[in-house]
Amino acid sequence: MVSVTRQMLEAYPKSINLDRAKLAAVIDTINSCAQACTACADACLSEEAVAELAKCARTDLDCADVCTTTARVLSRHTGYDANLTRSILEACVTACRACGDECARHAAMHEHCRICAEVCRECEQVCRDLLATIS
Amino acid sequence: MVSVTRQMLEAYPKSINLDRAKLAAVIDTINSCAQACTACADACLSEEAVAELAKCARTDLDCADVCTTTARVLSRHTGYDANLTRSILEACVTACRACGDECARHAAMHEHCRICAEVCRECEQVCRDLLATIS
Amino acid sequence: MVSVTRQMLEAYPKSINLDRAKLAAVIDTINSCAQACTACADACLSEEAVAELAKCARTDLDCADVCTTTARVLSRHTGYDANLTRSILEACVTACRACGDECARHAAMHEHCRICAEVCRECEQVCRDLLATIS
Amino acid sequence: MVSVTRQMLEAYPKSINLDRAKLAAVIDTINSCAQACTACADACLSEEAVAELAKCARTDLDCADVCTTTARVLSRHTGYDANLTRSILEACVTACRACGDECARHAAMHEHCRICAEVCRECEQVCRDLLATIS
């Protein structure tokens, strides 16, 4: 099934400096990561061991915010500015790495951290790959 | 394929007052709507007829923000508050209806408006359905 | 000192259906509330008694998101839609009341909850006042 | 008058790696910039010359999103991560410079662009100053 993201990119009326299918996949991965991080932060709050998960919740919240903003920037093509795209992608890589690392520390104990770590790793990778095609 | 949203809801360690599979589908629809609206606003800006699409772009931006916030609220279950869930879902219904109506006016001329209108209609409906199970 | 919000509203080139000075004050209060809630959620995470503050942190996060979106909607005037303004203000009232109530329960123990409760009460009130001028 | 941001930072129960008064001033400037950019994007949409302001509106939207996320990250201190702080500040500098440049091009014609350009310049500068104390 073609995602809404892909359909909307195909309907963009002017040229886009990146491959539309690949870009759509990146945006979808980033949005999934934002969703996982928002949910993981809340799941951490509901655990009895929440005190040990405080840093994890914080990193989740940062990563959710950075991913949401990155997906929005990547969804805009009017007056494209490679500098900003690169800069927010670098922040996204940093946020996903930090969150992936922190969630991985709790993956054996908490399934939500295990899933979130995995999603962060994938998101970090697709952002790195996209960065490589821009720089 | 099970969405990340669904996987994270299944991994939530405490009880959730709503059906997890249905809730995941609603959140995914709302996030797709946020994405469509962000992309539609930008596509409107790139059209030569942007002056006729100014209201459409504005409604897209509102709808994207309301959908993003609604998906976040629905993704949190710690200390669940039915009043807030209901209230933000009502705002989401209102935003999606307004945006669906406005995009529909331009659907024949602009493919991005046609797709976005359709996604807004679906999002409005799933939010109404979820509201009916809460009220 | 005239706030940036007020300066920008005065510079808006078309008519606005609300008093610009009052509207600017409301937006500034809502943005302050978003800021207080974001900070309170993080302060809750750093408390040793975080387990007792889990619901408070969650309510803070919801309130921060709803306030941020409400301030954005109120900052847009192109193609004004009273229904959406009313609907998001109602959600904002609900979020601020819930967050004010929850923070008030911890105000005696935690200064950040005391301040945040006060800011939420004020935000709830200014949103109610604005709603009264729209309905 | 002490801002809510400053009051909340003073109430944070653990240590913060940065000067609290200076940090509060930076966060307040970034939030003002987010507000100015959101309002400027909407004002651009309402201008008759909106076609010439399409890139400006887009840059405003990016800058608003990046500033909102940056203010949130800077408002969290639990499990502080200097890498992420630095990375999002760099993205904020890039977004403010791009938006300040673009708004400055229209400053003579549109008062909202003139104010927004000024706010972006100040925001870029305070973010650079904060970066210098972290690196």
Side-chain angles (χ1 to χ4, degrees):
Chain A
M1 202 189 73
V2 176
S3 78
V4 166
T5 310
R6 174 84 183 273
Q7 291 177 56
M8 290 301 291
L9 278 172
E10 300 291 353
Y12 184 74
K14 292 199 176 157
S15 68
I16 294 182
N17 293 21
L18 302 159
D19 180 89
R20 293 179 193 221
K22 280 187 197 165
L23 181 56
V26 173
I27 293 171
D28 285 338
T29 299
I30 296 172
N31 278 331
S32 287
C33 192
Q35 178 61 36
C37 289
T38 297
C40 191
D42 182 66
C44 286
L45 285 177
S46 80
E47 295 284 357
E48 287 180 30
V50 56
E52 295 162 32
L53 295 164
K55 181 176 180 179
C56 190
R58 184 260 155 101
T59 318
D60 281 328
L61 294 173
D62 281 357
C63 196
D65 287 337
V66 173
C67 284
T68 298
T69 287
T70 304
R72 285 176 165 219
V73 172
L74 292 179
S75 300
R76 298 181 184 124
H77 305 286
T78 305
Y80 177 74
D81 176 346
N83 282 332
L84 183 52
T85 301
R86 208 179 291 123
S87 179
I88 195 68
L89 275 171
E90 282 164 359
C92 200
V93 163
T94 305
C96 289
R97 191 177 49 214
C99 195
D101 286 352
E102 187 59 30
C103 282
R105 293 185 56 233
H106 308 283
M109 288 291 288
H110 304 292
E111 178 69 358
H112 51 85
C113 291
R114 189 193 64 72
I115 300 167
C116 193
E118 203 173 281
V119 176
C120 286
R121 297 301 191 210
E122 188 191 348
C123 190
E124 181 189 346
Q125 192 55 53
V126 299
C127 289
R128 282 190 195 283
D129 293 347
L130 184 59
L131 262 172
T133 70
I134 299 175
S135 303
Chain B
M1 201 189 75
V2 176
S3 78
V4 165
T5 309
R6 173 86 184 270
Q7 291 177 54
M8 290 302 289
L9 277 172
E10 301 290 354
Y12 184 74
K14 291 198 177 159
S15 67
I16 294 181
N17 292 21
L18 302 160
D19 180 89
R20 294 180 192 221
K22 282 186 196 164
L23 182 57
V26 173
I27 294 170
D28 285 338
T29 299
I30 296 171
N31 278 330
S32 287
C33 191
Q35 178 62 35
C37 291
T38 298
C40 190
D42 183 65
C44 287
L45 286 176
S46 80
E47 296 284 356
E48 286 181 31
V50 56
E52 295 162 31
L53 293 165
K55 182 179 179 176
C56 191
R58 184 260 156 104
T59 317
D60 282 329
L61 294 174
D62 280 356
C63 196
D65 286 338
V66 173
C67 284
T68 298
T69 287
T70 304
R72 285 178 165 216
V73 172
L74 292 179
S75 300
R76 298 181 184 125
H77 307 286
T78 304
Y80 176 74
D81 177 345
N83 282 332
L84 183 54
T85 302
R86 208 179 290 125
S87 179
I88 195 69
L89 275 170
E90 283 164 359
C92 200
V93 164
T94 304
C96 289
R97 192 178 48 214
C99 195
D101 286 352
E102 187 59 30
C103 283
R105 295 184 56 232
H106 309 283
M109 289 290 288
H110 304 293
E111 176 70 357
H112 50 85
C113 291
R114 190 193 62 73
I115 300 169
C116 194
E118 203 173 281
V119 175
C120 286
R121 297 300 192 211
E122 188 191 349
C123 191
E124 181 190 346
Q125 191 56 52
V126 300
C127 289
R128 280 190 197 283
D129 292 347
L130 185 58
L131 262 173
T133 69
I134 298 176
S135 304
Chain C
M1 202 188 75
V2 177
S3 78
V4 166
T5 309
R6 173 84 183 272
Q7 291 176 55
M8 291 301 291
L9 278 172
E10 301 291 353
Y12 183 74
K14 292 200 175 156
S15 68
I16 294 182
N17 292 21
L18 302 159
D19 180 88
R20 294 181 192 222
K22 281 186 196 164
L23 181 58
V26 173
I27 293 170
D28 286 338
T29 299
I30 296 171
N31 277 331
S32 287
C33 192
Q35 177 62 36
C37 290
T38 297
C40 190
D42 183 65
C44 287
L45 286 177
S46 80
E47 295 285 356
E48 287 182 29
V50 56
E52 295 162 30
L53 294 164
K55 182 178 179 177
C56 191
R58 184 260 156 103
T59 317
D60 282 327
L61 294 173
D62 280 356
C63 196
D65 287 336
V66 174
C67 284
T68 298
T69 287
T70 304
R72 287 177 165 217
V73 172
L74 292 178
S75 300
R76 298 181 184 126
H77 306 285
T78 305
Y80 176 74
D81 176 346
N83 283 331
L84 183 53
T85 302
R86 209 179 290 125
S87 179
I88 195 68
L89 275 171
E90 283 165 359
C92 200
V93 164
T94 304
C96 289
R97 191 177 50 212
C99 195
D101 286 351
E102 186 59 30
C103 283
R105 294 183 57 231
H106 308 283
M109 289 291 288
H110 305 293
E111 178 69 358
H112 50 86
C113 291
R114 190 193 63 72
I115 300 166
C116 193
E118 205 173 278
V119 176
C120 286
R121 296 303 192 209
E122 189 192 348
C123 191
E124 181 189 345
Q125 191 56 55
V126 301
C127 288
R128 282 190 196 283
D129 293 347
L130 185 59
L131 261 173
T133 71
I134 298 175
S135 304
Chain D
M1 201 190 74
V2 177
S3 78
V4 166
T5 310
R6 174 84 184 273
Q7 290 176 55
M8 290 301 292
L9 277 172
E10 300 291 353
Y12 183 75
K14 291 198 175 159
S15 67
I16 294 181
N17 292 22
L18 302 159
D19 180 88
R20 294 181 192 222
K22 281 186 197 164
L23 181 57
V26 174
I27 293 171
D28 285 338
T29 300
I30 296 171
N31 277 331
S32 287
C33 192
Q35 178 62 35
C37 291
T38 297
C40 191
D42 182 65
C44 288
L45 286 177
S46 80
E47 296 284 358
E48 288 180 30
V50 56
E52 295 162 32
L53 294 164
K55 182 177 178 176
C56 191
R58 184 260 155 102
T59 318
D60 282 328
L61 294 174
D62 280 356
C63 197
D65 286 336
V66 173
C67 284
T68 298
T69 287
T70 304
R72 286 177 165 215
V73 171
L74 291 179
S75 300
R76 297 181 185 126
H77 307 285
T78 305
Y80 176 74
D81 177 346
N83 283 332
L84 182 53
T85 301
R86 209 179 290 123
S87 178
I88 194 69
L89 275 170
E90 283 164 359
C92 199
V93 163
T94 304
C96 289
R97 191 176 50 215
C99 194
D101 285 353
E102 186 59 30
C103 282
R105 295 184 54 233
H106 308 282
M109 289 291 287
H110 304 292
E111 177 70 357
H112 51 85
C113 291
R114 191 194 62 73
I115 300 168
C116 193
E118 205 173 278
V119 176
C120 286
R121 297 300 192 210
E122 188 192 348
C123 190
E124 180 189 346
Q125 192 55 53
V126 300
C127 288
R128 281 191 195 282
D129 293 346
L130 184 60
L131 261 173
T133 70
I134 297 174
S135 304

